[in-house]
Amino acid sequence: HWRTSQGAEKWVNVQAHDTVAGACHFLHDRGFQLIAAHLSDEATDYRELDYTQPTALLFGTELFGVSEEALAQADHQVMIPMLGVTQSLNVSVACAIILYEALRQRQAAGMYQDPPHDPEVFRKQRFEWLHPQVTKFCQERGLDYPEIDEQGNIVGDFPRGS
């Protein structure tokens, strides 16, 4: 679904999993807390949790919410308090609200003072995004990527290989 992310796929590495449980175990093994956005008796106000630690958010469908399988893996359930007769928001709005709270907490903790990417990782991702054909050529032949300038033009020696 590369068109749905409005360009973020250039900067995000995706790890696919066959099952929800497999994805949750993968994240837990790497120290992530799993937070499910789900209206239930166990859910707490989304602002009460600590998002400064590694966190993965679980969102379900707008009609059915988070699946039972995903809820069983979640460390916490959160909800967004609502006024009036409506009890839920659409998924994209709920996600934005919770992500903004995570951003707020992380900024307050000073977590965004350093660049978010390792400069070499950023350089590599930027090259791959700007020059997909040269990337493929280099990867197929085990060649290093040439240097690029601030505008993204190749300035180093163009790769040659057999």
Side-chain angles (χ1 to χ4, degrees):
H1 306 291
W2 65 273
R3 291 186 186 266
T4 63
S5 61
Q6 297 298 311
E9 78 281 352
K10 298 174 192 91
W11 313 112
V12 176
N13 293 322
V14 176
Q15 175 70 47
H17 297 274
D18 293 331
T19 65
V20 170
C24 292
H25 289 299
F26 177 87
L27 291 164
H28 271 142
D29 289 348
R30 283 152 184 81
F32 283 76
Q33 68 173 339
L34 301 180
I35 299 175
H38 189 74
L39 185 60
S40 71
D41 292 337
E42 292 82 37
T44 60
D45 186 309
Y46 74 102
R47 296 166 290 198
E48 294 179 16
L49 290 181
D50 177 9
Y51 298 94
T52 62
Q53 58 184 301
T55 301
L57 300 174
L58 306 173
F59 292 91
T61 65
E62 292 178 15
L63 184 59
F64 299 111
V66 177
S67 71
E68 291 299 322
E69 182 182 15
L71 284 175
Q73 302 294 324
D75 300 305
H76 307 282
Q77 293 180 33
V78 295
M79 56 85 159
I80 300 168
M82 305 279 297
L83 299 175
V85 294
T86 302
Q87 292 189 6
S88 66
L89 300 166
N90 74 36
V91 171
S92 65
V93 172
C95 182
I97 289 170
I98 294 172
L99 285 173
Y100 193 81
E101 174 62 14
L103 172 69
R104 186 195 66 74
Q105 288 183 22
R106 288 168 172 234
Q107 282 179 319
M111 295 176 73
Y112 295 126
Q113 294 176 357
D114 295 324
H117 292 90
D118 173 300
E120 182 56 27
V121 170
F122 180 75
R123 186 193 74 76
K124 180 177 178 276
Q125 287 179 320
R126 185 169 178 255
F127 185 92
E128 291 171 353
W129 172 57
L130 292 170
H131 301 284
Q133 291 176 326
V134 179
T135 295
K136 182 179 177 187
F137 180 89
C138 291
Q139 288 176 347
E140 287 173 348
R141 291 160 179 81
L143 302 172
D144 291 334
Y145 299 151
E147 293 300 317
I148 55 177
D149 62 18
E150 288 297 315
Q151 291 75 39
N153 298 311
I154 295 175
V155 295
D157 291 334
F158 200 82
R160 306 278 181 226
S162 52

